Amino acid sequence: MNIVVCVKYVPATADRRFSAVDITVDRAGVEGTLCELDEHAIEEALRITEADEGEVTVVTVGPEEAADAIARGLQMGAHKGVHIVDDALHGSDAAATSLVLAAAVRRIGYDIVLCGMASTDGAMGVVPAMLAERLGVPQLTLASQVTVEGGTVTIRRESDTATEHIEASGPLVLSVTDRSNEPRYPSFKGIMAAKRKLVETWSPAELGIAPEVGPEAAGTRVSAFAARPARTGGQIVSDEGEGGVRLAEYLVAQKLV
Amino acid sequence: MSEILVVVDHIGGAVRKTTAELLTCARRLGEPSAVYFGAEDGLIPGQLARYGATKVYVLDDDAYRDCLVAPKAEALAHLVATRRPAAVLIPSTLEGKEVAARLSIKTDSGLVTDASDIVRGEDGAVETAKPVFGGAFTTTVSITKGTPIVTLKPNSLTPPENAGATVPIEVETVDVAVSDAAKAARIIRRESRADLGRPDLAHASIVVSGGRGTGGDFDAVEAFADCLGAAVGASRAAVDAGWYPHALQVGQTGVTVTPQLYVASGISGAIQHIAGMRSSRTVVAVNKDPDAPIFGLADFGVVGDLTSVLVQATTEIDSRRASGA
Ligand SMILES: Cc1cc2nc3c(=O)[nH]c(=O)nc-3n(C[C@H](O)[C@H](O)[C@H](O)COP(=O)(O)OP(=O)(O)OC[C@H]3O[C@@H](n4cnc5c(N)ncnc54)[C@H](O)[C@@H]3O)c2cc1C
Ligand SMILES: Nc1ncnc2c1ncn2[C@@H]1O[C@H](COP(=O)(O)O)[C@@H](O)[C@H]1O
């Protein structure tokens, strides 16, 4: 079973992300990392191939620095990496990202394409469905549990109103939530071995998709950007035995009860 | 006037609140037509007409129920191709967002997910408000390509009732041949969640949440919630500890809530939790640590033990009600 895992390189911590937003014109100096939610996708891929056999390829679409996200995947145990990098990709939206990913995973070859549930910076959670649409294969998305038997994959999905058990046969797109597994930490051996693993760098042109990416091709345009006003005048009281009464009084005064 | 498609969010015919909000937004853009997936006998057209739908397309096929996402996207693509609507509005559920994603690829159209408002922009484009970075910022996003597709978060606006036309709503049955490819991901079993007798978390107008600070005892949280007619939520720490079901987790990897009132008890206010509740109108926090980050977000906070504070607040509200005050 050959698995391609799509991983995203995102601004590192929450704090940095906000400061990065403050200075949207200048994202430079903001440290990045492999999206935490994509670690679950890598872990799932490793488990599936360890139980069966096959190769795990991590692929990312992103700037030079995104090579770090691939490196982390290789340290965890993925076999090889593909980095699609190009300046024209800067500012691409989910549709363009899925276009590039679709071309890349086709070229790599796959039984399963594995994704995270959402990217922690964009958090749209739409790339996996878009990828399935473009590849014309079934989607098994937002799995909290995955079972692979022969060529059939079964997932458990917590939908809005119910728990669903869903089944499909490969090739397919699978995405996993943060409840699917506990991602491993790279071992020292894994870190050393990663240095010898192959990482290929492709350009969108090589994939034959030059003009359709970047901000001009995007279907949306951001015209304004405002920080949510800070909450002011928040009233904090200390419970000296009547904290609950004070809380009740507040709710009554606000006509919330 | 141009037609706007609105996908109806319903459970067995009972229309959920988001649908009214979507119809309200749709009226600003054109003439709303509801798209109803399900058996026609469950449909109550009046529920849709009341908020301004003038027409409803009924699409009934086992595939919409038994297969994941793809059949609905196919059906909507068919409606877009044949009816040429000016926009498609979809509820921001997990399924809704994925249907929207596939539809945007099929129709080569711009997509905005998790919008909090939808209007017609000055340039005529469909313009949305979209909170980003866990709600810390709001962007204005116009859709510039194809048939604009927007998913709207629940509790984004208050729909005026009886805004709709008094003319009878037109019901049209639409048959779309769902492809075999779209039926490839089959739902083989579905377990409905136990009804806890409380409002649905994502749509609730009051939410009371408990975190690690409960120590696993949600009694005070639940009693306070019931006194307010609220839904109960939990932090991931409480869910991971097995104290509360994951379906009730509020946050980045759980449910996003936008109630009138959010009460966080024994929750520190991690960025991933805040991402799921930041848009709440009023935030109340109860935490024994005065430095807990959640207080930075609170309109009202009590520094103290959550059990004693919530129990006392419940008693106080109950007794005020009893005395008619
Ligand atoms: C990728 C990712 C996604 C995540 N997604 C989510 C998510 O969707 N939702 C989410 O909630 N978290 C999420 N988290 C986890 C998040 O980072 C925090 O770990 C979590 O929210 C902490 O939960 P908590 O506030 O209940 O626990 P803690 O941070 O441990 O806080 C407990 C609080 O309770 C207070 N307390 C203790 N005892 C009492 C008492 N008797 N009375 C009053 N107060 C008391 C303490 O002072 C403390 O402030 C995610 C993390 C990651 C990495
Ligand atoms: N630039 C990217 N490169 C590789 N994979 C991506 C990229 N963006 C998104 N993905 C994948 O799609 C998932 C959902 O992302 P999103 O739709 O952006 O929330 C992520 O968890 C990744 O698995």
Side-chain angles (χ1 to χ4, degrees):
Chain A
M1 190 122 345
N2 288 325
I3 304 183
V4 179
V5 188
C6 301
V7 301
K8 192 175 181 187
Y9 179 78
V10 297
T13 63
D15 299 335
R16 289 200 184 109
R17 181 160 84 228
F18 288 119
S19 64
V21 170
D22 252 333
I23 46 162
T24 34
V25 274
D26 181 18
R27 277 196 176 230
V30 178
E31 222 176 284
T33 178
L34 166 64
C35 170
E36 281 167 301
L37 294 171
D38 293 345
E39 288 185 18
H40 297 275
I42 296 170
E43 178 64 36
E44 201 60 47
L46 294 173
R47 288 187 189 192
I48 294 169
T49 50
E50 281 161 6
D52 186 4
E53 54 177 27
E55 202 174 53
V56 176
T57 307
V58 282
V59 53
T60 194
V61 180
E64 292 293 343
E65 311 85 81
D68 287 359
I70 292 182
R72 173 86 183 185
L74 298 178
Q75 290 171 357
M76 284 176 72
H79 302 90
K80 59 188 175 65
V82 172
H83 185 178
I84 301 136
V85 54
D86 191 288
D87 287 342
L89 290 175
H90 188 78
S92 290
D93 61 0
T97 302
S98 68
L99 181 73
V100 176
L101 284 173
V105 302
R106 272 204 190 100
R107 179 185 288 194
I108 296 164
Y110 65 95
D111 298 296
I112 297 177
V113 179
L114 240 161
C115 292
M117 66 187 287
S119 47
T120 49
D121 59 341
M124 286 177 70
V126 293
V127 165
M130 287 180 166
L131 202 45
E133 178 66 38
R134 292 198 187 274
L135 294 169
V137 300
Q139 75 172 83
L140 291 178
T141 41
L142 300 170
S144 58
Q145 201 185 315
V146 179
T147 318
V148 180
E149 257 177 43
T152 303
V153 183
T154 311
I155 67 159
R156 192 189 142 108
R157 164 170 162 134
E158 308 292 339
S159 88
D160 194 15
T161 53
T163 299
E164 295 164 341
H165 301 262
I166 312 164
E167 184 183 274
S169 300
L172 51 82
V173 172
L174 174 65
S175 82
V176 292
T177 72
D178 58 339
R179 306 196 42 86
S180 56
N181 58 44
E182 199 55 54
R184 67 192 68 182
Y185 284 101
S187 63
F188 178 70
K189 222 175 108 208
I191 293 170
M192 296 316 285
K195 295 183 173 152
R196 294 187 303 274
K197 290 175 178 169
L198 177 69
V199 179
E200 289 191 55
T201 305
W202 298 343
S203 70
E206 282 173 79
L207 293 168
I209 40 175
E212 296 157 82
V213 294
E216 285 74 38
T220 58
R221 193 188 63 237
V222 180
S223 60
F225 200 86
R228 191 187 175 85
R231 282 176 200 267
T232 49
Q235 186 192 350
I236 312 294
V237 302
S238 196
D239 179 29
E240 311 287 352
E242 74 316 323
V245 173
R246 300 287 299 276
L247 172 53
E249 285 166 352
Y250 173 80
L251 296 178
V252 169
Q254 297 295 312
K255 303 202 178 348
L256 287 162
V257 292
Chain B
M1 216 181 356
S2 45
E3 184 173 17
I4 310 294
L5 298 184
V6 169
V7 175
V8 177
D9 189 10
H10 70 95
I11 300 175
V15 169
R16 297 168 94 193
K17 203 164 149 189
T18 341
T19 308
E21 299 178 36
L22 286 166
L23 287 169
T24 305
C25 289
R27 265 207 329 277
R28 301 172 183 160
L29 305 177
E31 193 163 333
S33 293
V35 178
Y36 181 93
F37 290 101
E40 190 176 341
D41 52 13
L43 170 72
I44 305 167
Q47 288 186 335
L48 303 169
R50 181 152 34 128
Y51 295 101
T54 54
K55 190 171 184 177
V56 52
Y57 297 112
V58 177
L59 294 97
D60 190 12
D61 189 312
D62 287 345
Y64 304 132
R65 217 170 1 253
D66 300 343
C67 306
L68 194 65
V69 178
K72 286 184 180 172
E74 238 177 53
L76 288 171
H78 168 83
L79 285 176
V80 168
T82 54
R83 308 304 197 271
R84 308 222 150 268
V88 183
L89 312 187
I90 301 175
S92 240
T93 57
L94 295 178
E95 187 195 39
K97 280 196 270 188
E98 291 191 328
V99 167
R102 295 189 81 125
L103 182 64
S104 85
I105 299 300
K106 282 180 191 294
T107 61
D108 198 17
S109 299
L111 164 68
V112 172
T113 54
D114 290 324
S116 58
D117 203 7
I118 311 170
V119 296
R120 175 81 65 195
E122 276 168 26
D123 57 356
V126 171
E127 191 178 283
T128 64
K130 178 178 163 73
V132 295
F133 298 114
F137 295 81
T138 302
T139 51
T140 306
V141 188
S142 300
I143 303 183
T144 51
K145 190 168 157 191
T147 307
I149 304 165
V150 186
T151 76
L152 184 79
K153 288 193 310 166
N155 282 350
S156 289
L157 45 123
T158 315
E161 275 208 42
N162 300 320
T166 44
V167 290
I169 187 166
E170 182 189 338
V171 180
E172 182 181 331
T173 307
V174 181
D175 274 316
V176 183
V178 178
S179 74
D180 285 341
K183 295 181 192 165
R186 294 170 310 278
I187 301 174
I188 50 175
R189 193 149 53 89
R190 182 182 274 125
E191 295 142 17
S192 296
R193 245 168 242 128
D195 183 3
L196 301 167
R198 298 200 177 92
D200 173 41
L201 182 60
H203 297 81
S205 50
I206 303 181
V207 175
V208 180
S209 285
R212 203 196 302 274
T214 60
D217 182 355
F218 267 66
D219 286 355
V221 171
E222 291 181 343
F224 190 53
D226 291 342
C227 154
L228 299 177
V232 176
S235 73
R236 175 158 131 183
V239 170
D240 282 353
W243 301 338
Y244 235 63
H246 175 250
L248 300 177
Q249 177 181 317
V250 172
Q252 184 187 31
T253 54
V255 180
T256 301
V257 299
T258 36
Q260 296 292 323
L261 171 64
Y262 186 84
V263 181
S265 41
I267 292 176
S268 61
I271 198 83
Q272 296 91 350
H273 186 81
I274 288 174
M277 48 67 71
R278 184 171 219 131
S279 302
S280 307
R281 190 74 50 83
T282 300
V283 174
V284 166
V286 183
N287 196 304
K288 68 178 185 190
D289 173 10
D291 296 324
I294 190 76
F295 284 126
L297 203 75
D299 298 285
F300 188 82
V302 182
V303 180
D305 177 75
L306 72 94
T307 306
S308 50
V309 172
L310 293 185
V311 167
Q312 190 180 65
T314 307
T315 311
E316 176 71 16
I317 291 168
D318 282 345
S319 68
R320 278 171 182 249
R321 281 190 183 134
S323 67

